[in-house]
Amino acid sequence: MANRRTQKSSEVSNVTQSSDIFAGSTLATADLKPFQILAPDGRPVREELIPDLEIVEELYRQMARARYLDDKFMLLYKSQPARLGSYAQFGGQEASQVASAYVLEERDYLCPMYRNTAAMVTHGWPIEKAILYWRGHPEGWRIPDDLNILPIIISIPGQVVHAAGVALGIQAQNLGAVAMTYIGEGGTSQGDFHAGVNFAAARKAPVVFIIENNGWAISVPRKVQSGVDHLMRRAEGYGIPGYLVDGNDALAVYTVAKKAVDDARAGNGPSII
């Protein structure tokens, strides 16, 4: 018996050495780099992909407004006595939110969580409503009827499941719209993230899932959250496209988000950015 085991082990070893059966592994591309149009110093690295200057100017204006709003809200929250009941900062993430939400049309649906004030304002949420919401006033809880924005989700990642459901409704009614939602890298470890993305992928629902990865969840770094180097790799497991983008490059985010939204609208199913 011992001899047969030794022989079998040797045979397996020889087969492994004679053929690289893992040549197609996605982990073989460990040198993935985020898609960029601008370098961190603002220098164009893909000048041919820069959108029209009108779009560039509007993105900058929206980002500047969002950052000013974020700073003001934090001052109001930290003031004594506090002028806001609570507030979740998004500073440093205005490019990823503004540039992606800017791609949406009025008929499209935004499914936000608590750190998406910039995306909501970009999609038309009145600033006075945002102030009332963070003050805890009931008038701030109600989304205006003419805005396709769902109520803000506090229990992450409920917004992912909601977005998948909204997209399925859009698909069933043939509305030609798209749903978009956001989540931090920590939230992707929750079961509802998998349930929502997998459901949308199986039904080819028109939805775009955006992961804002700032390197940390509430308590631990990303490398403790997941064994993959880039969370967009999870898209392959769902059979959908996944894009790795520099979240501080508004032009790159806009370009990739526009492709993802256009694909979803054309009936090609969801994407992960």
Side-chain angles (χ1 to χ4, degrees):
M1 180 63 73
N3 289 338
R4 283 200 295 270
R5 285 180 175 175
T6 302
Q7 182 181 5
K8 184 176 181 181
S9 176
S10 176
E11 290 172 356
V12 171
S13 177
N14 289 338
V15 169
T16 303
Q17 292 174 3
S18 62
S19 61
D20 187 3
I21 63 174
F22 300 110
S25 170
T26 56
L27 296 180
T29 57
D31 59 343
L32 278 175
K33 301 295 183 185
F35 172 69
Q36 291 181 320
I37 293 179
L38 299 176
D41 61 3
R43 176 178 45 84
V45 293
R46 298 290 301 275
E47 194 164 354
E48 73 279 8
L49 297 179
I50 295 177
D52 293 340
L53 288 183
E54 289 184 3
I55 294 176
V56 175
E57 290 175 359
E58 183 61 17
L59 288 175
Y60 181 80
R61 189 186 74 82
Q62 294 272 7
M63 287 170 57
R65 181 180 68 162
R67 172 57 73 90
Y68 181 82
L69 186 66
D70 190 57
D71 290 343
K72 279 294 186 181
F73 277 15
M74 275 309 295
L75 287 175
L76 291 172
Y77 176 56
K78 291 181 176 180
S79 64
Q80 295 296 329
R83 299 290 193 268
L84 297 181
S86 181
Y87 184 62
Q89 277 185 294
F90 59 80
Q93 298 177 202
E94 55 266 56
S96 60
Q97 291 188 32
V98 168
S100 53
Y102 183 75
V103 174
L104 299 177
E105 300 177 2
E106 287 187 10
R107 58 177 167 167
D108 297 329
Y109 285 78
L110 190 67
C111 305
M113 55 93 158
Y114 57 81
R115 210 177 296 277
N116 289 150
T117 299
M120 293 178 68
V121 170
T122 302
H123 196 47
W125 196 34
I127 292 178
E128 58 268 26
K129 290 287 187 181
I131 295 172
L132 289 171
Y133 175 86
W134 289 113
R135 280 185 61 84
H137 194 288
E139 273 299 311
W141 306 341
R142 185 174 182 276
I143 302 295
D145 294 337
D146 59 343
L147 282 181
N148 289 337
I149 300 178
L150 269 63
I152 295 172
I153 288 298
I154 305 298
S155 55
I156 307 299
Q159 74 277 10
V160 174
V161 179
H162 293 173
V166 167
L168 185 64
I170 290 170
Q171 185 183 60
Q173 298 178 67
N174 196 27
L175 298 179
V178 174
M180 179 179 285
T181 191
Y182 302 79
I183 192 169
E185 77 286 350
T188 63
S189 296
Q190 299 289 331
D192 278 354
F193 173 80
H194 165 73
V197 177
N198 186 64
F199 182 82
R203 300 297 186 92
K204 285 191 173 295
V207 56
V208 177
F209 302 101
I210 298 178
I211 302 172
E212 294 186 287
N213 179 11
N214 61 14
W216 282 83
I218 291 177
S219 55
V220 296
R222 186 213 54 79
K223 64 182 179 181
V224 179
Q225 286 281 334
S226 175
V228 296
D229 53 352
H230 299 295
L231 295 172
M232 50 74 67
R233 292 190 190 276
R234 294 185 176 181
E236 185 170 352
Y238 302 114
I240 62 176
Y243 303 97
L244 180 64
V245 187
D246 181 352
N248 286 323
D249 181 347
L251 304 188
V253 173
Y254 169 84
T255 300
V256 173
K258 188 175 189 309
K259 173 174 173 47
V261 167
D262 289 347
D263 286 347
R265 203 184 305 281
N268 297 323
S271 301
I272 291 178
I273 301 175

